[in-house]
Amino acid sequence: MECSVCGPGYRSPREAMIKGPREKLMYVVSIHTDPAKADVLCTVDVDPDSSTYCQIIHKLRMLAVGDELHHSGWNICSSCHGSSRKRDTLVLPSLMSDRVYLVDTRDEKAPKIKKVLEPKEMHKYGISTPHTSHCLPTGEIMISTMGNLNGDGLGEFFCIDAETLEAKGTWTRSQDKATFGYDFWYQPYHDTLVATEWGAPRVFKRGYLSEDAKDPKIYGRSLNVYSWNERKLKQTINLGDDGIAPLEIRFLHDPLAAEGFVGCAVTSNVYRFYKAEDNSWKAEKVIQVFLGGSILSDSQVRVTHDEELNSQPSPIHVKGRRLHGAPQMLQLSLDGRRLYVTTSIFKPWDKQFYPDLFKYGSTMVKLDIDIERGGMKLDEQFLVDFGADKNDVLLAHEMRYPGGDCTSDIWLPEKH
């Protein structure tokens, strides 16, 4: 099924930036700290003209406990610009349970569950541990998966019909499989899909151990390059020990661009990947960065050498609320002027590294960006507190705008 008329999203990244409205609502995946309670999809008011600005105005509770909602995607996006179908279904894969929730967002302020794909729908194809969801220009929803049924590493993709919301099978058409899976991004113009690697689910689900990360049989270090048209794994780029756990990956939004970036969670490095003159793909380390609440001045960690700061940073407070944890998920406004940040990565790891998140809940803050002169500044009047309701102390992770955003939408070259 090809998209051929007018429809969702924007024709190009430039059109999204110029014509896209200011965001007013945001859907935030929120994991419950209480193991006896289900995870929640929070609707957050981010309209500064609203009387409920910076508040959670609706909570949609999942139907089971222990799901671990993580990433989210849409039934359709700008890669299908030209379709008559509507962007009205949010896709919520569950990292721990292998369940997939399909959420009806036609009532934007109060979404409701439309359908649930139970774990058996995924397991019948021998795959587990779903992660990233993207819509495809073929009219399908595709979710990356990270494991087999034993919890060992296996990189695959689970396909769902975007109209019937029925499982269709796996995406790859070759016996050659990636050792691990995680995130992915595609660029049909270059006949390419690039996927990343976390590790073996049975290991990372139990918590982080440094000795695990040193073992390439447990934690990934590679980018896996597929032919978009053939659906086959064509190349594996080993980043080595400086590239352990390459997670979030993005091509540049220009659909003709042949480069992008990926962040490596364990080694705190950012790599640029690009298409070489011989049409192979290569990667180079371009940034090293250290973030995290563990090195604050009142922590038990002592920094012995820092080439930039003279002392360890002090804790940050916004509207009297201390920010626990560290920056995790990011969501940029369509006009590039506001960057929203949440502080939870993965419940077992949060509990290990930032136990105060379990006590107080996580937060969402906003950075204002000067796109003319450069630079960004924390908005000290913006705070969403996911621990304010003591009956629902939540860990906020991924964020989505109802009309699409720059981490859910993929653009194709314009047709002239």
Side-chain angles (χ1 to χ4, degrees), residues 290 292 295-299 301-315:
F290 292 94
I295 62 169
L296 296 178
S297 58
D298 63 352
S299 74
V301 176
R302 288 293 166 260
V303 177
T304 59
H305 177 73
D306 191 326
E307 295 181 356
E308 295 183 357
L309 300 178
N310 295 323
S311 61
Q312 291 178 232
S314 299

Side-chain angles (χ1 to χ4, degrees), residues 45 47-53 109:
D45 187 337
D47 180 1
D49 296 326
S50 170
S51 61
T52 53
Y53 182 51
K109 291 186 177 181

